[in-house]
Amino acid sequence: MKLYIKYMVSLRCKMVVHQELEKLNIRNAVVDLGLVEILDDITNEQRQLLKENLLKTGLELLDDKKSILIEKIKNAVTEMIHYSESLPEGNFSDYISEKLGYDYTYLANTFSEVKGMTLQQFIIINKVEKVKELLLYDELNLTEISYKLNYSSVAHLSNQFKKITGLSPSFYKQLKKKRLKNLEDL
């Protein structure tokens, strides 16, 4: 039985899920990126208790198919952009469609309907968040970041970054460095 639990990918969240499963004597389970696969059958009472206990910790057991699909889409995008060494060579749409086993148009339409933004906008927002992260690490220059995230050019990256944040990547980097320096001076 597969259960979908809405949570941010973090060690703390995985530990909380493990603890809640143990409290209910659900031992034969695999916890991964927003998905818990329980290899043994569980009762409706265990499922309901798990749902209630998770909710108390800020996590959510998803029941309806659309919510589950949206979480799978979000997890696929997050995994693709934030946790992969390199982004897929082809279109993100092909990657997501192949990973989830659904037609991309169906995925994109469902995502837009539920989230109120396009899947493409969600991907761009995540890419910009990754750019912010890479800028703060200060290990790659803008050209290298552009290449790493499959932007067609530095100008394209800069335009998307400014559209989302209101700042140029270089100004954002200066601003963050200045804030860090001010915190260090305290």
Side-chain angles (χ1 to χ4, degrees):
M1 168 185 286
K2 291 184 179 180
L3 300 175
Y4 294 90
I5 299 173
K6 182 179 182 177
Y7 66 90
M8 294 301 295
V9 182
S10 74
L11 186 57
R12 187 194 86 63
C13 288
K14 282 179 102 170
M15 287 174 45
V16 167
V17 172
H18 275 292
Q19 289 168 354
E20 293 303 326
L21 291 169
E22 283 181 17
K23 284 180 192 174
L24 297 170
N25 279 335
I26 302 171
R27 303 231 182 265
N28 204 359
V30 179
V31 180
D32 193 28
L33 198 63
L35 168 67
V36 175
E37 187 169 1
I38 299 174
L39 305 174
D40 300 330
D41 289 332
I42 64 170
T43 65
N44 285 338
E45 183 182 340
Q46 284 177 308
R47 182 183 171 87
Q48 187 58 38
L49 281 171
L50 179 62
K51 184 176 185 174
E52 290 168 10
N53 292 347
L54 288 172
L55 203 51
K56 290 175 189 173
T57 65
L59 305 178
E60 181 181 358
L61 181 65
L62 300 178
D63 291 324
D64 71 276
K65 289 182 181 188
K66 275 189 181 179
S67 293
I68 291 168
L69 183 57
I70 296 307
E71 285 307 306
K72 284 181 173 181
I73 293 168
K74 288 167 58 176
N75 287 339
V77 170
T78 301
E79 184 179 283
M80 173 182 69
I81 293 172
H82 296 280
Y83 298 102
S84 296
E85 284 301 311
S86 62
L87 295 180
E89 290 298 319
N91 294 330
F92 292 151
S93 57
D94 293 339
Y95 171 85
I96 294 168
S97 181
E98 186 177 310
K99 181 151 180 81
L100 299 180
Y102 288 96
D103 176 68
Y104 182 77
T105 303
Y106 171 72
L107 294 172
N109 288 341
T110 303
F111 191 89
S112 295
E113 176 188 321
V114 173
K115 298 304 289 177
M117 74 168 65
T118 68
L119 182 48
Q120 190 62 34
Q121 288 169 322
F122 183 74
I123 291 169
I124 290 168
I125 288 168
N126 274 271
K127 283 178 74 175
V128 167
E129 287 303 313
K130 183 67 176 181
V131 170
K132 287 179 181 179
E133 179 184 318
L134 293 171
L135 286 170
L136 293 180
Y137 286 151
D138 207 20
E139 294 173 2
L140 303 173
N141 63 38
L142 215 46
T143 303
E144 292 166 326
I145 293 171
S146 172
Y147 179 77
K148 182 177 178 70
L149 294 178
N150 290 354
Y151 279 98
S152 57
S153 66
V154 173
H156 183 218
L157 179 154
S158 296
N159 286 337
Q160 277 192 349
F161 192 93
K162 188 162 188 163
K163 193 175 198 178
I164 299 296
T165 67
L167 306 169
S168 71
S170 54
F171 187 75
Y172 173 82
K173 188 174 179 176
Q174 289 172 345
L175 192 63
K176 286 296 181 182
K177 280 185 177 181
K178 189 175 183 178
R179 284 185 184 160
L180 287 173
K181 187 177 179 333
N182 288 341
L183 286 175
E184 290 172 0
D185 292 343
L186 291 178

